[in-house]
Amino acid sequence: MMMADSSDFGPDAFLCHQVLRQMERASDGKKTVYETEFNKLCFLAYKELEEEGFADEVQLPMHWYQFGMKVWGQPDALAVLYNSDNRGTEVIPQTLSESAFSLRDELKEAIHRVARQLAGEYKFTFGTDAIVDDSYNEYAPTPFVKSYHEYRRTIEELEPGQQSLANFVESGSAKGHISTIRPHLETLVSEYPKSTYNEAYAEFKQWDSVTRQLAKNGDVDALIELSKAFWKMFSRVELRIHHNVDIPSETVADWIMEREQHKQAFRSQLAEHRQIAVANREQTNHLKQVSDEYSETVRDIAHDESR
């Protein structure tokens, strides 16, 4: 690892550095921490410290994004390094002594304790599902955000890939898919806080309409793709603006100015998925008609043979 300059780092950098150092120690260096898990570890540590009254001293810039709270800022300023490869972005601590960090002893000990606690809890947890679920279950900013996460988990567990529209017509799998996700969609509609997330409300209503048709068609792959596209847009247009901590006001102003371009990009994706939904609905209806006619023909033949 590279050595950092001797300039002091503050409490926010010490928190980020310690969640990684304590994970190294707890796992004997066997656990790789990737960016998503790093963000959640920092957030969970921050929430623990907030409950103890240290939030104003830590001042760690974060904002809610697609998979929960995300640390904002340059890695160098947070005493960490990002190494990207085809598996993801690994986050490692810079090689620093504790004398490089400027914070009072009581806060330093609190960060040590919380970082050790989280390392002990997640040292044998590989992948990010568990820690993402924990952050949503405990700290989702609104019921709608938590419910959307549950919806995403549900559709990811549906059987992927639509092998044959004919099979769906005959087996009723498509009907099963809409039955599975309809309660989630009804919950999302009822929980959507229009007064808070008004900027993306029109896009949400359109997303809901297309999603229901895709579910009726049994098109799981398209459902998953559209759910990701919507949440990416929603995270940029609503979540990071309404749910952030210690983000500079000029950065938030820039995000507000970018809202329209993110909505427009989503509308283009939505239009593509609407075309898919309509095309598959027509094909499904045609196959169902053919199936019904075939069944009627078989019944007529059986009736004639019984005479």
Side-chain angles (χ1 to χ4, degrees), residues 8-53:
D8 285 349
F9 293 89
D12 56 342
F14 188 68
L15 184 153
C16 294
H17 192 265
Q18 279 300 301
V19 297
L20 296 172
R21 291 291 292 125
Q22 296 301 329
M23 188 64 76
E24 279 185 345
R25 292 168 180 165
S27 67
D28 294 325
K30 297 176 182 178
K31 182 178 171 100
T32 299
V33 176
Y34 289 100
E35 186 177 6
T36 295
E37 185 173 19
F38 168 71
N39 286 325
K40 303 307 161 291
L41 286 169
C42 291
F43 174 56
L44 293 176
Y46 176 88
K47 295 301 289 185
E48 288 288 337
L49 294 167
E50 182 181 49
E51 291 181 6
E52 298 180 24

Side-chain angles (χ1 to χ4, degrees), residues 61-74:
M62 295 179 292
H63 63 85
W64 204 273
Y65 204 57
Q66 296 182 71
F67 302 105
M69 269 302 209
K70 179 178 181 179
V71 175
W72 180 90
Q74 294 299 315

Side-chain angles (χ1 to χ4, degrees), residues 94-133:
Q94 293 184 29
T95 303
L96 293 165
S97 67
E98 291 199 2
S99 62
F101 298 91
S102 178
L103 67 164
R104 62 191 182 93
D105 290 342
E106 184 182 1
L107 177 56
K108 180 180 290 187
E109 179 52 39
I111 291 175
H112 271 304
R113 173 171 41 78
V114 170
R116 285 196 300 268
Q117 174 187 327
L118 288 170
E121 185 174 352
Y122 291 103
K123 63 183 177 181
F124 297 126
T125 301
F126 296 92
T128 60
D129 285 354
I131 196 167
V132 169
D133 288 347

Side-chain angles (χ1 to χ4, degrees), residues 44-186:
L44 293 176
Y46 176 88
K47 295 301 289 185
E48 288 288 337
L49 294 167
E50 182 181 49
E51 291 181 6
E52 298 180 24
F54 293 113
D56 289 341
E57 290 185 73
V58 175
Q59 293 188 332
L60 177 63
M62 295 179 292
H63 63 85
W64 204 273
Y65 204 57
Q66 296 182 71
F67 302 105
M69 269 302 209
K70 179 178 181 179
V71 175
W72 180 90
Q74 294 299 315
D76 285 348
L78 298 173
V80 303
L81 299 170
Y82 285 5
N83 291 332
S84 298
D85 57 27
N86 58 357
R87 293 169 296 178
T89 300
E90 179 184 359
V91 189
I92 59 176
Q94 293 184 29
T95 303
L96 293 165
S97 67
E98 291 199 2
S99 62
F101 298 91
S102 178
L103 67 164
R104 62 191 182 93
D105 290 342
E106 184 182 1
L107 177 56
K108 180 180 290 187
E109 179 52 39
I111 291 175
H112 271 304
R113 173 171 41 78
V114 170
R116 285 196 300 268
Q117 174 187 327
L118 288 170
E121 185 174 352
Y122 291 103
K123 63 183 177 181
F124 297 126
T125 301
F126 296 92
T128 60
D129 285 354
I131 196 167
V132 169
D133 288 347
D134 289 346
S135 65
Y136 267 94
N137 290 336
E138 295 180 39
Y139 299 114
T142 64
F144 172 80
V145 171
K146 182 178 179 181
S147 293
Y148 195 90
H149 178 68
E150 293 170 353
Y151 163 75
R152 285 193 303 173
R153 282 282 186 255
T154 298
I155 62 174
E156 287 169 359
E157 293 173 358
L158 295 176
E159 183 180 352
Q162 186 168 336
Q163 301 298 324
S164 166
L165 280 169
N167 290 340
F168 273 87
V169 170
E170 294 168 4
S171 67
S173 296
K175 184 180 295 185
H177 289 329
I178 186 60
S179 298
T180 298
I181 74 169
R182 183 183 287 117
H184 291 277
L185 296 177
E186 297 302 333

Side-chain angles (χ1 to χ4, degrees), residues 162 164-175 213-219 276-292:
Q162 186 168 336
S164 166
L165 280 169
N167 290 340
F168 273 87
V169 170
E170 294 168 4
S171 67
S173 296
K175 184 180 295 185
Q213 187 57 58
L214 289 171
K216 289 178 182 178
N217 296 345
D219 200 335
I276 293 171
V278 171
N280 286 348
R281 179 182 62 192
E282 292 173 350
Q283 188 174 358
T284 300
N285 289 341
H286 173 70
L287 288 169
K288 187 175 187 307
Q289 181 181 354
V290 171
S291 177
D292 290 345

